[in-house]
């Protein structure tokens, strides 16, 4: 098996990943498959740790709607309780008193107040009821202002809309081999000045213990002016590569993990967007190459990008001198 | 005719355009005339491919208004159906019952509820009606919050407001020739740190097949601190240029296409804006130069930029040694 | 007098100002004193030239309010006309019919509808009136959504909040002279990574005509990590400077103008902000230096920046060898 | 004691901090502990100095709510005054006139108008009352639009959410010593391309007076691709360091202060965020090193960052040759 020393004689390790090097204190993979860091923050109170903005923006649409409904119901219940506690006779104007009982009358008065619809067939009487109705309508307006804010936040939030292939392939490349994966924008999004950085993380024996080692990988092309179609990211496994002479088994033993960050400018959002991904050694495929994922339209006037082929590859022979020599 | 080998001996091809090099699988021009990529995404569901944000932001104003009206009508119809299904007697308070029939009464009650105007001359009676009216007013508030969000999104969306000349001209330049086109901001927009990148795309024979080749063009000036007036982008056709020794016919045969990306900072939007354009060989004009498009104001105190002259050029003789030598 | 050739032998002219070089076609100063370009766009229709976003964002607060009021009044008048045309009896519910005449009743019904306040003491009767009231309340909601959008746009618009000194001074500097001006943020705004670019524009005789010439000026310090206090921008007038050997008269004759662009990151706005200024030769002061504009607070614990001193300078002797040698 | 000359022979001072060098005119530390500049702006009117945007965005949540409530109350009081001044009989429709006195009736009519709830059991009569009610409902709508704007501004404002350690430590590093402090994001925020700049400020004797001197410190690592865990910033105290040969006493006498600016891209906010901090010599600890602040989760699958340990250090011996040699 290749030793840390072997690897370091070829490629200098640097740590710009944001993770510490103390391997015995860090657990599991560094990044989750979706590119979020596999790290938990502790030692701060829940409220301090909570970022309302991020929590709400990352929530699913249905969960978001459920929370709004729940909140709407709860706040109406709260004001219903107040109106009921003020006693009967504080809500006036109901022309047919038999229709609803006291609770529902107070509840719907609350609903009509907080939504500012205020039909007026039920209306507040007396100082206290009027006061609370005034507070409730202000509450409604502010809550609604807040809802507008978060709906806009969710709506306009810049996102990368990039998909990464499921696997990273070790494929023939020029006269040797290379490790490659691919990505593509899937929403007709047009990215400008896209730049990708790939880091190889490994847990390697060093000075008696095990240390997290990080290697920046040199790429065939790491920057494109425009990212429209699929893009295959290629790291040639040459003599300067930390992958050189390592078998898939070595990589699995060392918990090898590729950490990927893509940064680009999206002109719809007029903003920089970031996509992340991670491939552990278990997601590497030895001896395979990606299938072409675009073709010409029938009228020959357009190119068609077929996202369903993003993950597709076929097995191929690797050149003999690599991976088989030991 | 010039061969791929000839061209490559002068200028190295690189592909940073976001398009693949497999010419037999790509169709038509790379970018449309308006700078959007000529590419269609397939293999993802409609919903996944849909970007609400981008769709709404790129929609025309009248289409946007029509959709809002349609949606308003549809949702009112939906709630009208509910109120009608709850039977007569569930809406009270109409003082002159002969004025409107049941359907319209329910419809306008719905309109008055969803808009929260709630005059109250029609009002909900009974538990179910009250409940649905409460849900409808919440729906109205949320829909309106969403409308505010997208109106703001449309209103504040940074755009480049740049126009490109209709044609690219092959004009005399210094002692030789150059290919040039021009652009100008047309809304008194003041762009800072504008940078332009021009790529020449050609479909050239290579190894038996035809390959998409992309050449970065060197420009006389590719960056300006401020972009206020018109700017003529100039690529000198010297011995390092991929255009060198090619006739207009050669360019048309090779499906030559100029791909242009302009990136600049707009301080009104406080944001980076991007403009794109494309010229196919059919839009090249051999032997022509642009007419001056600005003049002094009558009181001599201001410069006037005349956008109507953006496309205007006049025919000129090209130096003999170019394009005529074969 | 120094000739163009003299100047060009020392400093290369480049044009990155966004203005053309054809002097006989350009009029007046390049930038106005406030940093906006002295250029008018023509040849596009008013609507195409209009940028709603920029127009509204640059409008003064009082003008903005006046337009809102006018619009509110006009739209109410429009709907009043509709309600009146539908004839008497279409608005019901007024308990004391003598109080208001028909016009005002329709007008206030319109006001109560568009604002969605809908008291209900006046309410729509009949199909047509209900329909228009429904349209009016939707109009009100959309107009208000738009108002929210532009109020947010105005409120959150990143601006530089920088003031420039009234004059540029030609002052003693080290063993020679330098031209300098200063600027300071005046709203406790804290700018990061501020960078300034200064260009000298002159109209100089060349090849029989007069040409606009632009010279990038080298600065003592052109970048600061933080911009909190005042910053004096210094261009040393050495032998490489285009100012070298020019008298104030020469500069005035050549319509000399300093064009300044400051770019910085403001962390309150989380955005890049830009400030511009311009000094014509008439705003140069020969033989003067700026007075110190900050001092220690009384309790010695804070530094105080006195903005009222921004423009203050005192006359000083310049070293003999400069400006007097001819 | 080390002299200015000693220090300058090793490290060149540059001033890119935004503070002036005139030490006798500047007071106290340069930056406050929280990273805001210790500077007060004077000589501009309160209104000109006021930045509504920044003031509201930096306000605490409770203060913000209090101001909204106060404003709501005040504006209602103002309109109450108007309605009262129009005399009795101008508000109609109260079915039980004994319930509220004239003041409260006017007040709650105002509340119901400005919030657009408009029950209608109180409604405006007469031209003047209707007019003011119309103005009040417009006021309500605009105020509420403004509230939406500032709530969104507060909600979406990009912030760095970084904590800095309380102290900067002078610790053993490689074969010598280094000054170090650490920082960590505490809200699961994921920062990309983080860059830190550290400046040492000292008040040193020069040419008879005392001058503010600023030294850029070289760092072991000044840029990381991702900032997720804690990051310890290290300035090695070697022979090029301005700290070389200075005792803690020297540093305190010279009012030494470390000024720190961290700039990074946060992809939740899709924006650049900035964090600042400052350590005065009193916050330096001689001979100490930070304790590890992360550990492996119990199931070994995740790394846990313990923010409560951010400030924790332990005393250690420093190598003899440093700080003890004089």
């Amino acid at each position: 098996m290749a030793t840390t020393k072997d690897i370091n004689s070829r490629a200098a390790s640097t740590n710009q990943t944001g993770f510490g090097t103390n391997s015995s204190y860090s657990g599991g993979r560094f990044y989750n498959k979706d590119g979020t860091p596999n790290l938990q923050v502790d030692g701060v109170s829940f409220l301090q740790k909570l970022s309302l903005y991020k929590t709400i923006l990352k929530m699913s649409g249905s969960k978001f709607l459920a929370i709004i409904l729940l909140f709407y119901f709860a706040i109406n219940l709260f004001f219903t309780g107040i109106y009921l506690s003020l006693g009967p006779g504080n809500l006036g104007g109901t022309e047919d008193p038999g229709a609803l009982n006291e609770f529902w009358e107070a509840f719907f008065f609350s609903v009509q107040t907080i939504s500012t619809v205020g039909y007026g067939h039920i209306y507040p009487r007396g100082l206290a009821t009027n006061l609370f109705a005034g507070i409730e309508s202000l509450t409604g307006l502010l809550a609604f202002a807040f809802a507008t804010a978060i709906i806009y936040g969710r709506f306009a939030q810049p996102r990368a809309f990039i998909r990464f292939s499921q696997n990273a392939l070790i494929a023939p490349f020029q006269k040797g081999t290379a490790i490659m994966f691919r990505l593509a924008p899937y929403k007709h999004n047009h990215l400008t000045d896209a730049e990708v950085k790939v880091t190889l993380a490994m847990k390697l024996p060093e000075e008696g213990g095990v240390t997290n080692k990080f290697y920046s990988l040199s790429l065939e092309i790491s920057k494109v002016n425009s990212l429209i179609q699929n893009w295959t990211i290629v790291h040639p496994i040459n003599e300067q590569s930390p992958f050189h002479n390592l078998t898939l088994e070595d990589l699995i033993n060392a918990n090898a993990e590729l950490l990927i960050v893509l940064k680009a400018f999206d002109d719809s959002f007029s903003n920089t967007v970031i996509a992340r991904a991670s491939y552990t050694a278990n997601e590497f495929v030895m001896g395979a190459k990606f299938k072409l994922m675009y073709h010409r339209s029938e009228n020959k006037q357009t190119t068609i990008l077929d996202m369903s082929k993003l993950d597709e590859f076929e097995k191929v022979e690797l050149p003999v001198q690599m991976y088989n020599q030991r």
Side-chain angles (χ1 to χ4, degrees), chain A:
Chain A
M1 194 195 129
T3 63
T4 312
K5 209 176 144 192
D6 284 352
I7 297 173
N8 284 343
S9 68
R10 290 194 305 271
S13 77
T14 54
N15 184 2
Q16 307 215 314
T17 59
F19 276 98
T21 55
N22 196 318
S23 191
S24 48
Y25 284 84
S26 66
R29 65 195 293 174
F30 292 99
Y31 281 76
N32 299 313
K33 187 71 187 153
D34 67 357
T36 56
N38 180 20
L39 180 96
Q40 196 179 310
V41 176
D42 229 337
V44 272
S45 74
F46 172 74
L47 274 182
Q48 284 181 303
K49 205 161 65 178
L50 179 77
S51 170
L52 209 55
Y53 183 75
K54 298 183 186 193
T55 308
I56 290 175
L57 258 61
K58 282 180 179 154
M59 200 175 280
S60 75
S62 51
K63 201 173 168 190
F64 176 61
L65 201 63
I67 284 179
I68 285 185
L69 284 171
L70 203 75
F71 180 79
Y72 189 63
F73 188 74
I75 206 162
N76 274 308
L77 224 54
F78 173 77
F79 277 101
T80 302
I82 289 178
Y83 298 130
L84 285 176
S85 74
L86 294 172
N90 270 293
L91 296 174
T94 48
E95 283 161 35
D96 32 16
L100 287 175
N101 65 24
E102 216 179 296
F103 173 82
W104 287 114
E105 188 178 301
F107 184 79
F108 289 121
F109 170 70
S110 165
V111 166
Q112 290 161 24
T113 298
I114 207 167
S115 64
T116 77
V117 76
Y119 301 110
H121 70 292
I122 321 174
Y123 62 82
R125 294 175 65 194
L127 195 62
T129 312
N130 264 295
L131 205 67
F132 281 110
I135 291 171
E136 187 173 12
S137 58
L138 178 63
T139 307
L141 290 176
L142 292 182
F144 172 48
F146 190 66
T148 305
I150 58 189
I151 285 172
Y152 179 72
R154 285 179 65 96
F155 173 67
Q157 187 196 13
R159 269 161 297 185
F161 298 128
I162 291 286
R163 273 197 205 144
F164 287 85
S165 61
Q166 193 60 32
N167 298 103
L169 312 183
I170 289 150
F173 178 73
Q174 290 166 358
K175 286 169 186 166
T177 57
I179 186 157
M180 45 182 82
F181 55 91
R182 66 182 174 184
L183 54 88
Y186 62 96
K187 283 209 189 214
H188 276 139
N189 37 332
H190 191 162
L191 300 174
T192 304
D193 290 343
E195 187 175 4
V196 76
K197 285 178 183 170
V198 183
T199 304
L200 170 67
M202 290 197 282
K203 300 188 190 234
L204 294 175
E206 198 180 59
E207 295 170 15
V210 172
T211 308
N212 297 334
K213 285 287 183 186
F214 302 96
Y215 301 91
S216 271
L217 299 188
S218 62
L219 304 176
E220 187 207 9
I221 293 179
S222 64
K223 247 183 182 177
V224 291
N225 294 341
S226 284
L227 175 53
I228 307 165
Q229 254 182 240
N230 56 307
W231 182 18
T232 304
I233 314 291
V234 175
H235 165 66
I237 304 182
N238 54 27
E239 304 208 339
Q240 279 76 49
S241 166
F243 279 97
H244 188 66
N245 276 344
L246 297 189
T247 62
L248 188 54
E249 219 178 359
D250 292 343
L251 292 167
I252 290 172
N253 287 338
N255 289 291
E257 184 180 349
L258 286 182
L259 312 175
I260 293 110
V261 186
L262 172 81
K263 199 175 179 179
F265 185 85
D266 182 317
D267 39 315
S268 301
F269 290 118
S270 287
N271 225 320
T272 300
V273 292
I274 286 190
R276 287 194 182 78
S278 144
Y279 298 93
T280 56
N282 297 317
E283 292 152 350
F284 295 170
V285 178
M286 192 63 75
K289 66 171 191 178
F290 286 113
K291 292 183 182 172
L292 207 62
M293 64 182 286
Y294 63 97
H295 57 272
R296 196 179 279 187
S297 70
E298 277 181 29
N299 68 5
K300 297 190 176 179
Q301 290 312 303
T302 301
T303 306
I304 294 179
L305 179 68
D306 187 352
M307 286 300 297
S308 66
K309 289 191 176 156
L310 178 65
D311 296 335
E312 286 183 19
F313 57 83
E314 53 197 347
K315 287 298 220 170
V316 287
E317 282 286 307
L318 287 182
V320 187
Q321 80 278 19
M322 307 288 303
Y323 291 100
N324 301 346
Q325 66 192 16
R326 281 154 300 154

